[in-house]
């Protein structure tokens, strides 16, 4: 609610009703169309469903609410291999109309990136915080981990992690800062 309101206020400040969108250059869509065409014509040995099932089982086994360093390290190795296996995906429907096989393959590629970044970020964080219960590090560690994790996918299975600080102030005088608290059940 707070962020939705802030976004609406900012949008009202920077947009003009009826203003045209900026014109995109002729090559703006080349990368997107190349991705679509490459996947539509993919002739690998693994179906989207096979790769997706491998990803689902790996995430369920290694990125559950209660996690250990060992389980996440193993899961990260597995999810990297699964992400790499996507290069061998097969799409059987080559049509451009109502192609659910292609849509599921595009979705899977996005999900694989999210799975990879989720597991890498979780493995990297040596604490328990919020819904992330790291059994090897059961306590929250504000001294070392009171920061936002930023993660980028490099290639199919590489991950780069960085951080940015958590701000302990609000952007308005309408509400006071609410200090983070330990989640207890």
């Amino acid at each position: 609610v707070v962020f939705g309101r802030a976004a609406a206020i900012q949008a009202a400040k920077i947009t003009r009703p009826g203003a045209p969108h900026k014109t995109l250059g002729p090559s703006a869509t080349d990368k997107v169309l190349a991705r679509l065409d490459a996947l539509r014509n993919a002739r690998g040995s693994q179906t989207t469903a096979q790769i997706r099932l491998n990803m689902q089982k790996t995430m369920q086994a290694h990125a559950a609410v209660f996690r250990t360093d060992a389980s996440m390290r193993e899961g990260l190795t597995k999810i990297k291999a699964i992400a790499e296996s996507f290069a061998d995906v097969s799409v059987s429907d080559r049509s451009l109309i109502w192609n659910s096989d292609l849509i599921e393959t595009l979705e899977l590629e996005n999900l694989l990136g999210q799975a990879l970044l989720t597991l890498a970020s979780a493995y990297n964080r040596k604490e328990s915080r919020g819904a992330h219960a790291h059994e090897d590090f059961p306590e929250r560690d504000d001294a070392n981990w009171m920061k936002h994790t930023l993660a980028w996918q490099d290639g199919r299975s590489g991950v780069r992690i960085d951080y940015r600080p958590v701000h302990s102030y609000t952007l308005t005088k309408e509400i006071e800062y609410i200090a983070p608290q330990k989640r207890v059940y």
Side-chain angles (χ1 to χ4, degrees):
V1 172
V2 172
F3 293 111
R5 181 177 183 273
I9 290 169
Q10 184 64 19
K13 287 179 186 176
I14 64 173
T15 58
R16 289 173 292 148
H21 292 282
K22 291 179 182 176
T23 303
L24 295 175
S27 66
T29 56
D30 291 351
K31 186 175 178 183
V32 175
L33 291 174
R35 175 186 179 223
L36 180 74
D37 202 43
L39 289 179
R40 186 171 67 90
N41 293 299
R43 298 182 189 275
S45 66
Q46 294 188 62
T47 66
T48 298
Q50 290 168 323
I51 298 170
R52 184 179 56 240
L53 183 61
N54 290 339
M55 177 195 67
Q56 289 170 330
K57 286 183 176 183
T58 298
M59 293 302 285
Q60 287 171 348
H62 300 285
V65 173
F66 298 100
R67 310 161 180 183
T68 66
D69 246 22
S71 72
M72 287 188 288
R73 183 174 45 251
E74 181 182 345
L76 190 52
T77 299
K78 288 180 178 181
I79 207 72
K80 284 180 177 184
I82 294 165
E84 289 292 336
S85 78
F86 187 80
D88 192 33
V89 72
S90 175
V91 174
S92 58
D93 186 349
R94 309 260 181 255
S95 73
L96 291 172
I97 300 170
W98 203 261
N99 189 336
S100 59
D101 190 15
L102 176 59
I103 296 300
E104 288 179 10
T105 305
L106 288 162
E107 288 174 350
L108 175 62
E109 187 174 37
N110 294 336
L111 287 170
L112 283 167
Q114 290 303 308
L116 175 67
L117 295 174
T118 297
L119 248 172
S121 298
Y123 175 65
N124 198 57
R125 188 171 279 269
K126 306 303 181 195
E127 68 159 358
S128 289
R129 180 176 298 267
H132 175 90
H134 196 310
E135 292 183 335
D136 300 321
F137 301 92
E139 296 302 315
R140 198 169 110 170
D141 179 2
D142 285 351
N144 294 304
W145 292 103
M146 182 66 133
K147 53 191 171 185
H148 297 287
T149 300
L150 305 174
W152 292 264
Q153 186 173 355
D154 293 329
R156 246 205 230 281
S157 63
V159 176
R160 181 172 54 92
I161 294 179
D162 200 358
Y163 304 95
R164 71 175 176 87
V166 171
H167 300 295
S168 57
Y169 56 86
T170 63
L171 300 176
T172 177
K173 294 187 189 283
E174 294 178 25
I175 187 170
E176 291 182 31
Y177 173 70
I178 300 170
Q181 298 177 7
K182 182 178 181 178
R183 183 177 286 193
V184 293
Y185 297 96

